[in-house]
Amino acid sequence: MHPTNTPAVLVTGATGRIGRLIVGRLLDAGLPVRALVRRPDAAATLPAQAEVFTGDLTEPESLDPALTGADAVFLVWTAPPDSAAAVVERLAARVRRVVFLSSPHRTPHPFFQQPNPMADLHAHIERLIAAAGPEATVLRPGMLASNALAWWAPAIRAGQAVRWPYGTAETAPVDDRDVADVAARTLYDPDLAGGDHVLTGPESMTQAAQVRAVGEALGLPVPFEEMTPEEFRRVSEGSVPGAVVDMLLGAWNAAVGRPAHVTTAVADLLSEARTFRRWAADHAAAFRPSAS
């Protein structure tokens, strides 16, 4: 446990899939946590011990109350780029340490080298942070294991085959819990400050093998059927931005026939990295057909 006079840590994106986990990890470590939310009602799902602040990255001055007296900030950018410079300037003026959730856009593996507006924004914010001068740690998770919930769970719950493009494309999904654990550690452990970490799962797996792993966790056969890129574009229209669809299809196409980029960063920092099969077993209930 940390002493009661320990400075607070501010978590932006606190109700997101990574931010929510980080809030819990920091509380478990005994740190005072501030959770930034855009709407007060969104805080209802956060732990009661977290101090909730309402603020918006598009209105940099709205962050001041949450930053005053804080020592470190977990930054995940969830807004247009226009206000990034002003937000980073405010962070640098008020806190000692920033942990930024970026992406592996510097990684030479072709999976990460597709045109990607979000990666361009991440690179821009990294430059702003470097120029502003706070103690900065950059985390670069690859594909998140939890994407499987959005991509494949609806079909599996309905008892249908998973139709998906580029089934032979290999990725190394990283468990969201590992990303949160690394983020929490880098927020409070001075020995881990200032790093730049590409976070992946420990194993390269084809997308079809990942679907099979979910089926194994359920104890049910889950058929995989190849979908054409054109069909993927059609079914994604209206729900996924076109630039994201282009990036995903390009990345998966580039990942066919070659192992995914795998790092040991998670295990180096946490002593162990969760496998995708473990993630699937721990989240099997979210995939289980209602009739089973």
Side-chain angles (χ1 to χ4, degrees):
M1 296 293 289
H2 296 260
T4 55
N5 62 349
T6 301
V9 177
L10 175 64
V11 179
T12 70
T15 58
R17 50 179 165 170
I18 301 296
R20 187 187 307 273
L21 292 170
I22 293 171
V23 169
R25 300 301 193 269
L26 293 171
L27 289 171
D28 289 344
L31 283 100
V33 179
R34 297 177 177 181
L36 189 75
V37 298
R38 280 184 289 179
R39 302 184 321 276
D41 59 309
T45 58
L46 291 170
Q49 307 96 301
E51 187 178 7
V52 175
F53 288 80
T54 303
D56 195 314
L57 295 174
T58 64
E59 301 173 5
E61 66 280 0
S62 71
L63 307 182
D64 289 353
L67 289 169
T68 301
D71 179 66
V73 173
F74 172 75
L75 177 63
V76 54
W77 196 263
T78 55
D82 305 357
S83 58
V87 167
V88 170
E89 181 181 340
R90 271 182 150 74
L91 299 184
R94 289 167 174 79
V95 302
R96 184 171 55 88
R97 180 180 302 178
V98 174
V99 174
F100 177 49
L101 190 71
S102 186
S103 53
H105 56 84
R106 296 179 177 177
T107 302
H109 192 288
F111 182 84
F112 298 115
Q113 292 303 311
Q114 309 309 307
N116 184 349
M118 183 57 70
D120 295 340
L121 175 57
H122 286 159
H124 171 59
I125 294 174
E126 287 172 36
R127 290 191 293 269
L128 292 173
I129 293 172
E135 193 176 77
T137 303
V138 180
L139 304 182
R140 306 180 186 279
M143 197 66 79
L144 293 174
S146 62
N147 287 334
L149 293 170
W151 292 346
W152 305 326
I156 295 172
R157 283 197 299 264
Q160 300 169 353
V162 169
R163 291 184 54 75
W164 204 250
Y166 296 110
T168 59
E170 297 197 31
T171 64
V174 59
D175 194 307
D176 303 49
R177 296 170 295 184
D178 283 343
V179 178
D181 287 344
V182 168
R185 285 282 305 279
T186 57
L187 282 162
Y188 67 75
D189 187 339
D191 293 335
L192 299 181
D196 189 311
H197 307 289
V198 177
L199 308 178
T200 74
E203 182 183 6
S204 177
M205 299 177 69
T206 67
Q207 297 196 97
Q210 292 167 39
V211 171
R212 285 197 300 274
V214 173
E216 290 164 6
L218 293 170
L220 299 170
V222 177
F224 183 95
E225 297 176 359
E226 188 75 19
M227 174 189 283
T228 66
E230 293 73 23
E231 184 181 352
F232 184 74
R233 290 185 193 280
R234 286 198 305 272
V235 301
S236 302
E237 192 171 354
S239 60
V240 183
V244 175
V245 172
D246 291 342
M247 181 272 292
L248 287 171
L249 289 173
W252 291 327
N253 182 45
V256 171
R258 62 186 305 153
H261 181 72
V262 175
T263 75
T264 61
V266 171
D268 292 343
L269 293 166
L270 303 177
S271 77
E272 180 187 11
R274 296 174 173 95
T275 65
F276 183 79
R277 289 178 177 83
R278 177 174 171 185
W279 179 90
D282 291 345
H283 294 81
F287 292 91
R288 194 169 301 284
S290 56
S292 66

